[in-house]
């Protein structure tokens, strides 16, 4: 059996294949205009014709939202509420609280997702119990759709007030849209896409779903056709925002769930590998060419949220691994501020033209140029030898910086240290946010630039150690072969938990599980259903998520169990317990889990624990006042228990690990490098 995982990033597309326990890796440059072509090229090199499983994660849709390269769609909502897409949830970031000129990035004054003239109000209104206060005015709806037909919209998002309680108006309005605009036009209704309370999050999720249907629909067809042309006849899956696998056809029914899959895959790979090496507390740092994605694993499990943000206040209702991104990576540009200080990022050189050393026309130095100047990167073996870099272009770019007060040594040294501090600050902020002590956590360094830069952050973050896993340059892609197939459903209904609520709650879970069973046919017997709920104390605004719910028929005894479980979870999170207050259930969730084969990392031959002698040495420049001699090593020659002393550079096919003076690395059982202070 052969499995293939593909992670499409902004700079490189990473492909891994696993066959008979052997891991093969491929890295190709991402074609930002025709993303599927890079995927197909990598799949061909990985031998996709022999694969039984093809698992895919991509930032294609995410990048389209961020850059606003979006299709033209319409938004239909209850009359008087069409500005909900502009207003959002009214939250401001902390640094904008006193800024009168601040505007939301997706608001009408900036870059709206849907222009106001394409947002139309429909005369209707449902009450909170689902009954109709104002019936759906079909004639008025057709008049609005006639306007949208003239505007040439490509899709329609529908979110009516209180539709999560009663979907009738939305379902009928969808029928009218197909009658007026064509049977093939993509339409998403909130009562199916995100049948949850809180209108703004439901509206934004439904709107993103329409965009993803248009973006990934054509992409999936081209990719699927291309894979079949190469002889692939296995299962084609997408990863969702929690790096769980979905059949591609099912994923296209609600593609908003896959918009943030790429960054989540690295967290899943870290969690799976952490269990193998008995490390359950991890700060995961995926450092690529454009961005640095930071996430957390505690007790062996990724930290999962019920929602995530595509940008400030732009909410998507989907379970997702919590990932914070900062503008730091191998492509981060080095600039001089008007005040004369050196800045690194968040702007990036990307893949085209790339850092100056690429020789593709880039004239500004990037972090990759910094590492070239220091001697860390071997220009002849970069990206597995696929690219040959020109160090003279890096030197010219640094010399051309408008900083006459700084010598070349200072420019390179400052660029390295400021870049390192940016990354360390991002990791520290995650630790502070979750109230954890970094000394109890290991930093997992992966991505193309992670092993080069994370060890230098060790003393700044005060983490336990830095772990460089096998194949760090494509580790996120390995997350796609480290996960199970999971299909989920969720509903909202405000119910005070008591014995009289058992029947209604049992009905909700029964309906969701029956809907999920229909996907599996004869395989339903092998599916594990996992229930949870989001609940709150009576009078609270926000819910406590992921309170486990017992399986089977919900009766009075199980309702009592749900109440007790809520109080236990609430106490563990808030530090207080209020048994005397009623508990209100708000959102009910079911996950159908199908266990699948996962990547198995081979064990290394055991060595004798000696400190290795470098294969060669080089002059490490610009790190200190004077150059120092550092060793070069080849990772594939290591045995379990071997030790490497810094300063050192460890080369492998698609990554480079850089250790500072005073650091030591020990090779683990599965080939991981565990870097600590000497």
């Amino acid at each position: 059996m052969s499995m293939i995982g593909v992670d499409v990033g902004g700079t490189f597309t990473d492909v891994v294949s696993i066959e008979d326990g052997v891991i093969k890796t491929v890295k190709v440059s991402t074609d930002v205009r025709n993303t599927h072509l890079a995927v197909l090229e990598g799949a061909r090199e990985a031998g996709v014709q022999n694969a039984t499983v093809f698992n895919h994660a991509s930032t294609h849709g995410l990048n389209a939202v961020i850059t606003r390269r979006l299709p033209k769609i319409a938004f239909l909502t209850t009359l008087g509420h069409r500005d909900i897409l502009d207003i959002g949830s009214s939250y401001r970031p902390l640094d904008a609280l006193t800024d009168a000129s601040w505007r939301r990035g997706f608001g009408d004054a900036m870059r709206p997702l849907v222009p106001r003239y394409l947002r139309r109000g429909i005369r209707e209104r449902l009450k909170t119990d689902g009954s109709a206060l104002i019936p759906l005015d079909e004639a008025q709806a057709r008049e609005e759709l006639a306007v949208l037909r003239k505007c040439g919209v490509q899709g329609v998002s529908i979110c009516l007030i209180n539709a999560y309680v009663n979907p009738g108006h939305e379902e009928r309005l969808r029928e009218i849209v197909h009658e007026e605009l064509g049977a093939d036009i993509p339409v998403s209704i909130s009562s199916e896409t995100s049948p949850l309370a809180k209108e703004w999050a439901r509206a934004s999720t439904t709107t993103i779903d329409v965009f993803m249907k248009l973006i990934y629909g054509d992409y999936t067809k081209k990719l699927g056709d291309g894979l079949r042309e190469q002889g692939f006849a296995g299962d084609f899956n997408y990863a969702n925002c929690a790096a769980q696998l979905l059949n591609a056809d099912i994923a296209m029914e609600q593609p908003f769930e896959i918009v943030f899959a790429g960054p989540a895959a690295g967290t899943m790979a870290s969690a799976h590998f952490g269990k193998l090496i008995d490390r359950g507390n991890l700060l995961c740092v995926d450092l690529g060419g454009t961005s640095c994605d930071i996430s957390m694993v505690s007790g062996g499990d990724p930290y999962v949220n019920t929602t995530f943000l595509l940008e400030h206040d732009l909410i998507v209702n989907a379970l997702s691994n919590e990932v914070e991104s900062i503008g730091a990576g191998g492509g981060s540009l080095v600039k001089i501020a008007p005040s004369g200080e050196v800045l690194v990022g968040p702007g990036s050189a990307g893949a085209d033209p790339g850092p100056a050393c690429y020789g593709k026309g880039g004239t500004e130095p990037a972090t990759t140029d910094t590492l070239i100047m220091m001697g860390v990167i071997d220009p002849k073996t970069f990206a597995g030898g696929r690219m040959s870099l020109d160090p003279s272009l890096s030197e010219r770019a640094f010399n051309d910086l408008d900083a006459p007060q700084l010598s070349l040594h200072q420019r390179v040294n400052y660029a390295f240290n400021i870049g390192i501090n940016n990354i360390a600050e991002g990791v520290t902020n995650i630790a502070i946010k979750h109230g954890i002590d970094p000394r109890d956590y290991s930093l997992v360094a992966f991505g193309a630039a992670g092993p080069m830069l994370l060890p230098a952050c060790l003393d700044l973050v005060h983490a336990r150690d830095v772990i460089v896993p096998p194949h760090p340059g494509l580790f996120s892609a390995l997350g796609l072969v480290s996960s199970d197939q999971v299909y989920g459903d969720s509903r909202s209904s405000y119910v005070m938990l008591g014995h009289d609520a058992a029947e209604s709650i049992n009905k909700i879970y029964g309906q969701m599980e029956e809907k999920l069973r229909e996907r599996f046919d004869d395989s339903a017997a092998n599916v594990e259903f996992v229930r949870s709920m989001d609940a709150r104390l009576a009078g609270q605004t926000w819910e406590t998520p992921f309170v486990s719910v017992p399986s089977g028929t919900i009766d009075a005894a199980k309702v009592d169990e749900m109440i007790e479980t809520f109080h236990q979870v609430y106490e563990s999170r808030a530090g207080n317990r209020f048994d005397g207050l009623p508990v209100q259930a708000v959102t009910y969730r079911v996950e159908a889990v199908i266990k699948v084969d996962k990547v198995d990392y081979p064990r290394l031959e055991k060595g004798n624990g000696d400190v290795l002698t470098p294969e060669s040495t080089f002059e490490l420049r610009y790190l200190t006042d004077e150059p120092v001699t550092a060793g070069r090593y080849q990772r594939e020659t290591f045995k379990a228990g071997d030790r490497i002393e810094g300063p050192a550079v460890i080369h492998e096919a698609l990554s480079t690990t850089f250790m500072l003076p005073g650091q030591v690395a020990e090779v683990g059982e599965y080939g991981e490098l565990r870097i600590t202070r000497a």
Side-chain angles (χ1 to χ4, degrees), residues 348-570:
S348 174
D352 186 11
C357 58
Y358 279 21
K360 294 183 178 181
T363 58
E364 295 178 296
T367 297
T368 299
D369 295 297
T370 304
L371 297 167
I372 283 275
M373 294 289 290
M374 294 173 66
V376 173
I377 292 178
D378 183 349
K380 297 179 181 178
T381 61
F382 185 75
R386 290 174 175 269
M387 299 176 64
S388 181
L389 307 182
D390 188 345
S392 66
L393 296 177
S394 298
E395 184 173 356
R396 180 190 302 171
F398 272 103
N399 281 322
D400 287 346
L401 288 175
D402 185 17
Q405 75 281 12
L406 299 177
S407 66
L408 178 61
H409 181 283
Q410 289 173 315
R411 298 177 192 198
V412 178
N413 178 271
Y414 293 172
F416 177 75
N417 284 299
I418 291 170
I420 293 299
N421 275 272
N422 290 343
I423 299 165
E425 183 179 6
V427 176
T428 301
N429 286 342
I430 290 290
I432 293 172
K433 177 180 179 180
H434 292 283
I436 65 168
D437 187 341
R439 292 174 295 183
D440 298 329
Y441 282 71
S442 297
L443 289 175
V444 185
F446 56 100
M452 281 191 290
L453 299 173
L454 258 296
C457 298
L458 185 58
D459 286 333
L460 298 174
V461 176
H462 304 293
R464 174 180 178 181
D465 55 10
V466 174
I467 295 175
V468 181
H471 310 288
L474 300 97
F475 196 59
S476 288
L478 284 167
L480 302 174
V481 287
S482 305
S483 183
D484 294 316
Q485 279 195 334
V486 180
Y487 300 90
D489 197 3
S490 57
R491 307 282 172 84
S492 278
S493 179
Y494 292 89
V495 177
M496 288 294 180
L497 294 184
H499 291 175
D500 58 345
E503 182 178 352
S504 62
I505 295 173
N506 188 65
K507 182 179 179 181
I508 291 172
Y509 280 114
Q511 290 175 341
M512 290 193 291
E513 290 178 4
E514 185 60 32
K515 178 182 175 182
L516 289 171
R517 279 193 181 93
E518 293 174 358
R519 297 186 182 277
F520 307 118
D521 300 323
D522 296 336
S523 63
N526 300 319
V527 177
E528 178 187 1
F529 289 95
V530 180
R531 297 174 176 177
S532 66
M533 68 174 179
D534 300 350
R536 63 191 184 184
L537 297 171
Q540 286 186 320
T541 299
W542 304 109
E543 296 85 44
T544 298
F546 304 123
V547 178
S548 63
V549 174
S551 59
T553 302
I554 301 295
D555 55 19
K558 288 188 176 178
V559 171
D560 289 339
E561 185 179 341
M562 292 166 63
I563 294 172
E564 174 60 24
T565 303
F566 169 83
H567 286 305
Q568 291 175 359
V569 174
Y570 187 91

Side-chain angles (χ1 to χ4, degrees), residues 60-280:
H60 184 47
L62 173 63
N63 292 338
V65 174
I66 292 173
T67 60
R68 296 297 190 269
R69 295 172 182 167
L70 294 169
K72 188 178 186 180
I73 74 165
F75 175 71
L76 302 181
T77 189
T78 304
L79 188 65
H81 293 267
R82 70 171 178 170
D83 287 325
I84 190 171
L85 286 186
D86 182 30
I87 298 170
S89 63
S90 78
Y91 289 126
R92 282 173 169 251
L94 185 63
D95 57 0
L97 289 178
T98 58
D99 183 359
S101 65
W102 180 84
R103 298 291 183 273
R104 272 170 192 75
F106 57 80
D108 290 345
M110 301 293 286
R111 301 185 301 164
L113 296 174
V114 182
R116 195 169 192 268
Y117 77 97
L118 295 177
R119 307 196 301 259
R120 317 299 292 189
I122 304 300
R123 190 176 295 114
E124 66 83 42
R125 183 61 189 257
L126 295 174
K127 294 192 288 186
T128 56
D129 62 0
S131 60
L133 177 65
I134 301 174
L136 177 64
D137 189 335
E138 296 191 9
Q140 185 261 349
R142 294 181 191 277
E143 291 175 0
E144 297 293 347
L145 290 169
V147 174
L148 296 176
R149 186 190 309 112
K150 294 179 181 179
C151 295
V153 297
Q154 299 168 266
V156 179
S157 167
I158 300 175
C159 180
L160 304 179
I161 300 299
N162 293 324
Y164 69 94
V165 183
N166 178 0
H169 283 187
E170 286 194 345
E171 291 172 347
R172 177 54 186 151
L173 186 55
R174 176 172 56 185
E175 293 174 356
I176 296 172
V177 170
H178 285 311
E179 291 170 7
E180 296 294 325
L181 302 184
D184 296 330
I185 190 168
V187 181
S188 294
I189 62 175
S190 71
S191 52
E192 288 182 0
T193 302
S194 181
L196 306 177
K198 297 185 173 63
E199 310 303 331
W200 156 238
R202 188 157 51 88
S204 62
T205 301
T206 307
T207 302
I208 293 297
D209 190 61
V210 178
F211 285 130
M212 295 306 110
K213 283 179 178 178
L214 289 163
I215 292 169
Y216 279 109
D218 183 56
Y219 174 84
T220 301
K221 183 179 185 306
K222 289 179 179 178
L223 183 55
D225 291 345
L227 291 173
R228 284 189 290 273
E229 289 175 4
Q230 294 186 18
F232 174 69
D235 296 328
F236 175 17
N237 299 315
Y238 276 106
N240 66 12
C241 300
Q244 300 161 333
L245 301 176
L246 304 169
N247 175 272
D249 291 335
I250 294 176
M252 287 304 100
E253 294 176 8
Q254 293 187 341
F256 76 91
E257 293 188 357
I258 70 173
V259 67
F260 202 62
T267 314
M268 186 61 71
S270 299
H272 177 63
F273 189 74
K275 291 176 183 177
L276 292 179
I277 64 173
D278 196 27
R279 291 292 179 87

